[in-house]
Amino acid sequence: MEPQFRLFPEQASVEAQRVDVLYLFQLGVGVFFTALICLVIFYFAIKYRRGAKVDRSNPPKKNIPLEVVWTVIPLALTMVMFGWGARLFFDSQRPPLGADEIYVVGKQWMWKVQHPEGKSEINELHIPVGRPVKLKLISEDVIHSFYVPEFRVKTDVLPGRYSTIWLNPTKTGRFHLFCAEYCGTDHSKMIGHVYVMEPAEYSKWLAGTIDQPPHVAGELLFERFRCNTCHRDTPDARCPSLRGLFGRQVALADGSNVIADEKYLRESIVNPNSKIVQGYKPLMPTYQGQLNEQGILQIIAYIQSLEQTQEPPAPAATEDRQPPTETND
Ligand code: CUA
């Protein structure tokens, strides 16, 4: 800990600077109007004190220009705050393409982290400086919240739903990681550290990997739970092929379509009968309670890694698209 007093936590990410500028703007507007109102109160309190010889006749009932001014100025200021804040929020929800994806599972009372290369850690997160990383978070039990003040990054970590955040650290060092949502007896101990390292140092740290990458672990789970007996790539398979599925549009038995993203895949694992693929029967048992959230993330990573061997069937409704740069016809 540094001994000096800090009004704000250190800024250690690109987002931190952007969030602070907005925060200081709002603080400035708030302080300005509070001071203005206080001054006016004092001025009138003194001017109209008892015994003062001033004009006490009734004020005019109507003053349209004044009404317009005190409506339009606050409206404009709040719209600026809204637009600015919304922009920061949307940016925080959209990770840049190609950012490393790290899985974070919250559970009472620890953070379990897995890197795409396979390395796992608990209550620690190691990331390289100057490179955006994307975190995919989910809870094993109750609602937690992932909070790193120095990055100005905070998101609720919910059971049954993936949250995504991304960050771009600008400083190396060790930063506090908190759970910012009361989650039971040891909530206050659900803390850890984020270590931001030089890229070379980070590669060296990763090289100590002994765990399997998530998609490899996912493939083993896929075999262990015998998913492969049904989800085969043969024409007589009773279940849909998973090859090239991720990100594709899937036609459902009720006539609707769904994009096969992580939310859909997770739902199909824990609650398989909620969406039935067109042409298939509701045969799949639920794996809720048999797989933990890390296992589900790993199976999704495996499905994500299954590339299409031939052209996928054309989606039901296609819009005019840009011609692709190269065609595989
Ligand atoms: Cu987890 Cu508080």
Side-chain angles (χ1 to χ4, degrees):
M1 269 313 251
E2 290 167 56
Q4 89 248 34
F5 171 74
R6 276 184 188 282
L7 212 47
F8 295 102
E10 203 181 332
Q11 293 176 334
S13 72
V14 177
E15 299 70 40
Q17 292 154 15
R18 298 183 63 198
V19 169
D20 285 0
V21 175
L22 172 60
Y23 184 78
L24 288 172
F25 170 75
Q26 294 184 327
L27 194 65
V29 169
V31 168
F32 174 79
F33 282 100
T34 307
L36 189 69
I37 291 165
C38 284
L39 280 176
V40 174
I41 290 173
F42 270 106
Y43 172 75
F44 285 129
I46 292 163
K47 184 176 176 193
Y48 291 99
R49 70 192 183 277
R50 195 196 290 184
K53 297 212 169 5
V54 282
D55 175 17
R56 291 177 199 271
S57 60
N58 284 336
K61 284 255 158 31
K62 235 186 185 177
N63 189 335
I64 297 290
L66 192 62
E67 300 260 4
V68 168
V69 165
W70 73 36
T71 305
V72 167
I73 291 179
L75 179 71
L77 282 169
T78 44
M79 288 319 285
V80 166
M81 291 174 194
F82 171 75
W84 192 344
R87 191 163 158 206
L88 285 183
F89 178 76
F90 281 121
D91 285 353
S92 78
Q93 299 296 304
R94 292 190 191 147
L97 283 174
D100 276 350
E101 190 173 70
I102 299 175
Y103 300 151
V104 179
V105 177
K107 65 183 278 190
Q108 289 170 321
W109 290 275
M110 63 176 87
W111 297 106
K112 291 167 79 177
V113 174
Q114 188 168 28
H115 292 256
E117 294 80 2
K119 189 125 176 165
S120 296
E121 39 188 343
I122 286 182
N123 291 341
E124 287 188 353
L125 170 63
H126 288 73
I127 47 175
V129 71
R131 203 164 88 194
V133 290
K134 174 180 162 187
L135 305 180
K136 192 177 335 172
L137 311 104
I138 192 162
S139 166
E140 195 83 66
D141 36 48
V142 299
I143 300 177
H144 304 276
S145 180
F146 183 94
Y147 180 35
V148 185
E150 280 88 353
F151 298 153
R152 312 290 189 274
V153 153
K154 187 200 266 178
T155 187
D156 275 3
V157 179
L158 308 166
R161 196 165 108 190
Y162 293 116
S163 318
T164 302
I165 44 167
W166 69 279
L167 49 103
N168 196 351
T170 50
K171 267 185 199 165
T172 56
R174 190 176 80 149
F175 305 102
H176 282 291
L177 161 64
F178 294 103
C179 177
E181 181 72 49
Y182 180 70
C183 55
T185 314
D186 281 342
H187 156 71
S188 62
K189 292 182 192 151
M190 196 168 161
I191 48 178
H193 287 104
V194 179
Y195 295 87
V196 180
M197 310 164 97
E198 292 295 344
E201 204 190 336
Y202 176 70
S203 308
K204 216 192 283 173
W205 177 83
L206 266 186
T209 298
I210 39 163
D211 312 291
Q212 290 140 337
H215 69 275
V216 176
E219 184 173 5
L220 292 176
L221 285 172
F222 198 77
E223 284 160 16
R224 183 171 356 132
F225 283 91
R226 306 231 166 271
C227 314
N228 52 354
T229 56
C230 190
H231 290 283
R232 282 178 290 157
D233 292 331
T234 50
D236 62 325
R238 287 173 301 154
C239 309
S241 165
L242 304 179
R243 206 155 271 287
L245 172 65
F246 193 81
R248 204 175 74 195
Q249 205 170 54
V250 178
L252 300 179
D254 65 1
S256 61
N257 286 296
V258 66
I259 296 286
D261 56 6
E262 56 238 14
K263 180 176 163 230
Y264 166 75
L265 294 179
R266 186 182 181 283
E267 186 186 36
S268 300
I269 294 169
V270 298
N271 191 7
N273 289 343
S274 65
K275 292 193 178 74
I276 302 298
V277 178
Q278 207 168 56
Y280 290 92
K281 294 204 183 75
L283 293 172
M284 181 167 155
T286 174
Y287 289 88
Q288 187 147 39
Q290 301 184 51
L291 279 164
N292 61 17
E293 291 299 339
Q294 196 178 19
I296 295 175
L297 279 165
Q298 288 167 340
I299 288 184
I300 293 173
Y302 169 62
I303 294 171
Q304 220 169 333
S305 75
L306 291 173
E307 308 233 315
Q308 187 65 35
T309 41
Q310 68 231 29
E311 281 292 294
T318 43
E319 291 180 11
D320 289 340
R321 295 191 196 165
Q322 296 291 333
T325 42
E326 56 176 61
T327 48
N328 300 327
D329 295 338

